[in-house]
Amino acid sequence: MHLLHCDTPPPPRMNDPMGYVAHPLSIAAAEEVQRHILAHEEWLEDANQGKMFGVLVVEDEKGNLGFLAAYSGLLANRNDWDYFVPAVFDFQQPDGHFKREEAEITSINKRVALLEQSPLLLKQRTLLQQAKAAMDEDMKRWKVQAATAKQRRDAMRSGSIPCTITDEEMLRESQWMKAETKRLRQRHEHDIAILQEKVGAMEAEIGKLRLLRHQKSDVLQKWLFDQFRMLNALGEERTLTDIFKDTTAGVPPSGAGECCAPKLLQYAYKHHLRPRCIAEFWWGKPLEGEVRQHLHFYPACRGKCLPILQHMLLGLDVEEPLQPTPMEASPTIVFEDEDILVAEKPSGMLSVPGKAGTASVYDFVKHHCPQAEGPLIVHRLDMDTSGLMVVAKTKQAHQRLQAQFKHHAVEKTYVARLQSPLPEEKPHRGTINLPLRPDPTDRPRQLVDPTHGKPAITHYEMTGPDTVLLHPKTGRTHQLRVHCAHPQGLGTPIKGDPLYGTAADRLHLHAAILTFEHPMTKKRLTFESKPDWSKGQESPPQ
């Protein structure tokens, strides 16, 4: 436990690692760790490539406060640096079971690679391909000859050309050609079978090695997960295999148990230290495709950590996860007729029903217009985003509005406050084109992925040092939030963004202008809405 140079009293309840605003004690501890990182060149280079660090403020049995520090995975290829808590299970020991089995699996990989690139195997595969090609060519040529001979016999039988042979001779010729076709195929198939047997024997050996590798990897992975015996505040212990058995995947993901929060809590429980508050911050540049800001605090990842922490936090008095606070009790109706309704959604409200007990625009419209036909919702705003939404009150209106969104005929303008001024090197207006896809290990976060991501395009225009108008041309999940935060976008997250920046009172993103064609009258309509931030008013975009 390290000394903590801060006089702030600890919070009455432990904060939830999955959603929090960093407590002053956690911030003070994180600053201590950051100074320590800068002072150690032996692993600073690796840290600068991108690494999550964590701090846990703890209280010992005498009531003294201090903190623990951790990093996710390895740091400079080690998991045993003195300043940080150790791994829950150290599988990096050179002479340990994991390393021995890993070395054997690596040896199998090398044997497979050597066999796959064996000159003999490559030669036999080439000969087999050539034999198959020769068979195809000979069979085609023979079929042409047989067809020509048949046409000649048919012509002689019909009298269109002089008959030079008897009917009996024509019959024998036909029978011979059919038999020769069979013999020709059999000769080629015999040659191919010999080559296939040679290739098959070598490929069978490769297949056995691959199967052995797969079996050994599965056994080793399960053994490894069984070594991670995670404690909770009640003193109960569960392996990762047991913790993840009831999840959708049924097995732990790679790297489970190696993140900061599980390491910190495990060490605290083992050494009879009471956890008081926790925080994780990113150091260095973001990993490829991710949106991470240097020194910003982030919640624990959902894919690897959520099931583990649900077990490890049992017995602790933990705060409820941080939830957005709605600015208003219900949407404000901006326009309504018999076909459509335009409403301003407050931050903190869902577009469609989701979590039990959480209000949604859909619920509001169903209550306001009980006679309206479904499905009502044409497009959505993130729960944290406020602003204009158009809702259909009839099926025909819904179909026509949906077609406009599909063909990008709807114009949308958002206004956002950025967490910090736009970096000097960024132009004050332009286009961001960063394809997006979900992060399967940490939903609902999105990743930038030029290869597998879906197109995502946003035009932007700065209207102040930290205020921007955003015009999305596509509608991907979290598109504006990622395009603002990513280094190849604006390079600074939207203020109050808990996923890609730093949590605050709310997400400062507002759907300010909405233009579309009325689904029935065909009249072009434009609606504007002022963003009502928690502190003061913003003028609407002009």
Side-chain angles (χ1 to χ4, degrees):
M1 184 175 79
H2 305 293
L3 293 177
L4 185 58
H5 305 289
C6 182
D7 296 329
T8 304
R13 305 172 69 191
M14 169 78 175
N15 62 305
D16 189 325
M18 304 308 302
Y20 62 90
V21 173
H23 188 272
L25 286 175
S26 295
I27 295 173
E31 290 172 348
E32 292 280 352
V33 175
Q34 290 156 16
R35 285 190 285 270
H36 191 79
I37 294 171
L38 289 172
H40 287 74
E41 295 184 2
E42 64 269 30
W43 34 263
L44 181 58
E45 181 180 354
D46 185 42
N48 287 341
Q49 298 305 307
K51 176 68 63 177
M52 191 72 80
F53 290 84
V55 293
L56 177 66
V57 176
V58 293
E59 183 179 340
D60 66 18
E61 294 174 307
K62 296 180 180 180
N64 300 313
L65 280 180
F67 73 91
L68 308 174
Y71 51 84
S72 292
L74 301 177
L75 181 61
N77 296 316
R78 285 176 54 180
N79 59 10
D80 59 352
W81 294 103
D82 289 340
Y83 184 81
F84 300 96
V85 300
V88 175
F89 174 71
D90 184 6
F91 57 89
Q92 293 292 322
Q93 298 172 5
D95 57 347
H97 175 76
F98 183 87
K99 283 298 183 181
R100 292 197 304 271
E101 289 297 308
E102 186 181 52
E104 189 169 342
I105 293 171
T106 300
S107 175
I108 295 173
N109 282 335
K110 292 179 180 178
R111 288 163 60 191
V112 169
L114 286 173
L115 288 174
E116 286 178 332
Q117 298 302 316
S118 164
L120 180 58
L121 176 59
L122 296 177
K123 179 181 178 181
Q124 294 299 327
R125 282 175 173 168
T126 299
L127 291 174
L128 179 59
Q129 292 174 350
Q130 291 173 345
K132 290 179 178 179
M135 175 180 171
D136 291 341
E137 188 64 31
D138 282 357
M139 295 305 298
K140 287 178 184 177
R141 185 168 51 250
W142 181 252
K143 285 181 180 179
V144 170
Q145 293 178 13
T148 301
K150 183 178 184 303
Q151 290 175 352
R152 180 175 56 82
R153 293 193 300 272
D154 291 343
M156 286 190 290
R157 291 191 183 100
S158 65
S160 58
I161 63 173
C163 185
T164 58
I165 58 176
T166 65
D167 288 345
E168 184 178 349
E169 288 173 327
M170 283 191 280
L171 177 61
R172 284 200 299 271
E173 181 183 80
S174 174
Q175 291 174 338
W176 179 83
M177 297 201 82
K178 289 179 181 178
E180 187 61 20
T181 300
K182 185 176 181 180
R183 287 191 292 270
L184 180 61
R185 181 179 296 278
Q186 288 175 338
R187 287 196 296 271
H188 277 294
E189 287 179 344
H190 177 265
D191 295 340
I192 289 172
I194 293 174
L195 291 170
Q196 281 180 328
E197 185 176 357
K198 294 178 180 178
V199 171
M202 287 183 277
E203 289 181 340
E205 184 178 356
I206 294 173
K208 289 179 181 178
L209 288 173
R210 284 176 173 167
L211 178 60
L212 179 61
R213 177 182 63 189
H214 179 72
Q215 291 171 339
K216 281 186 166 292
S217 296
D218 282 353
V219 170
L220 182 59
Q221 190 74 285
K222 185 180 184 307
W223 175 88
L224 178 62
F225 290 141
D226 285 342
Q227 308 313 304
F228 280 78
R229 298 180 173 90
M230 317 305 295
L231 291 166
N232 62 24
L234 301 174
E236 299 167 339
E237 190 177 72
R238 293 179 68 188
T239 67
L240 290 183
T241 304
D242 184 49
I243 288 172
F244 281 87
K245 68 181 180 182
D246 295 326
T247 62
T248 302
V251 294
S254 178
E258 298 179 56
C259 296
C260 296
K263 283 183 177 181
L264 291 166
L265 290 170
Q266 185 82 353
Y267 186 91
Y269 295 147
K270 278 193 169 184
H271 294 81
H272 309 291
L273 301 171
R274 179 189 174 191
R276 302 306 303 265
C277 55
I278 193 170
E280 297 185 41
F281 65 90
W282 185 259
W283 180 283
K285 62 184 182 181
L287 301 180
E288 185 176 2
E290 289 192 358
V291 178
R292 301 286 189 186
Q293 305 290 324
H294 179 56
L295 302 185
H296 283 208
F297 291 100
Y298 292 94
C301 64
R302 302 188 69 82
K304 295 179 183 179
C305 291
L306 179 58
I308 300 174
L309 294 178
Q310 286 174 333
H311 160 69
M312 298 191 79
L313 293 173
L314 291 176
L316 286 182
D317 185 15
V318 181
E319 295 176 350
E320 294 297 320
L322 184 67
Q323 297 291 344
T325 302
M327 291 172 56
E328 301 173 17
S330 62
T332 300
I333 297 174
V334 177
F335 172 85
E336 183 178 10
D337 63 14
E338 60 184 5
D339 301 300
I340 64 171
L341 181 150
V342 178
E344 183 180 286
K345 184 186 85 68
S347 175
M349 175 176 278
L350 294 168
S351 296
V352 296
K355 300 175 181 177
T358 304
S360 71
V361 175
Y362 177 89
D363 295 326
F364 169 79
V365 176
K366 285 294 288 183
H367 177 76
H368 177 73
C369 309
Q371 76 286 358
E373 303 171 2
L376 301 179
I377 302 299
V378 183
H379 66 122
R380 303 182 186 187
L381 296 177
D382 286 348
M383 180 178 180
D384 299 337
T385 304
S386 60
L388 295 169
M389 290 181 62
V390 58
V391 179
K393 296 169 67 175
T394 69
K395 291 182 179 179
Q396 189 175 28
H398 184 273
Q399 291 173 350
R400 293 181 178 181
L401 284 171
Q402 201 170 50
Q404 291 185 55
F405 277 94
K406 181 179 179 180
H407 294 98
H408 307 291
V410 179
E411 297 178 18
K412 295 170 286 185
T413 297
Y414 293 74
V415 62
R417 273 180 169 174
L418 301 178
Q419 188 167 289
S420 57
L422 186 74
E424 292 183 1
E425 69 274 10
K426 300 286 185 180
H428 280 235
R429 66 174 60 199
T431 299
I432 302 167
N433 185 354
L434 295 173
L436 302 175
R437 67 170 176 84
D439 182 348
T441 65
D442 197 12
R443 295 181 184 274
R445 291 180 63 88
Q446 303 293 303
L447 298 175
V448 173
D449 187 341
T451 303
H452 302 104
K454 293 183 178 180
I457 299 171
T458 304
H459 302 311
Y460 72 92
E461 177 185 354
M462 298 298 299
T463 59
D466 59 358
T467 307
V468 62
L469 298 183
L470 301 164
H471 310 280
K473 295 302 162 186
T474 52
R476 307 301 175 202
T477 301
H478 295 177
Q479 175 176 319
L480 300 181
R481 298 165 70 171
V482 175
H483 280 187
C484 286
H486 197 273
Q488 294 176 344
L490 297 186
T492 179
I494 296 173
K495 184 178 179 181
D497 189 340
L499 284 178
Y500 307 103
T502 301
D505 52 343
R506 61 155 290 184
L507 178 71
H508 287 235
L509 177 64
H510 183 80
I513 303 178
L514 184 64
T515 300
F516 58 93
E517 184 182 272
H518 192 286
M520 310 310 294
T521 68
K522 306 299 182 183
K523 182 181 179 181
R524 194 75 174 166
L525 303 174
T526 296
F527 300 94
E528 297 189 16
S529 167
K530 294 181 180 180
D532 185 9
W533 311 129
S534 60
K535 297 180 180 179
Q537 299 287 324
E538 282 282 329
S539 300
Q542 302 296 317

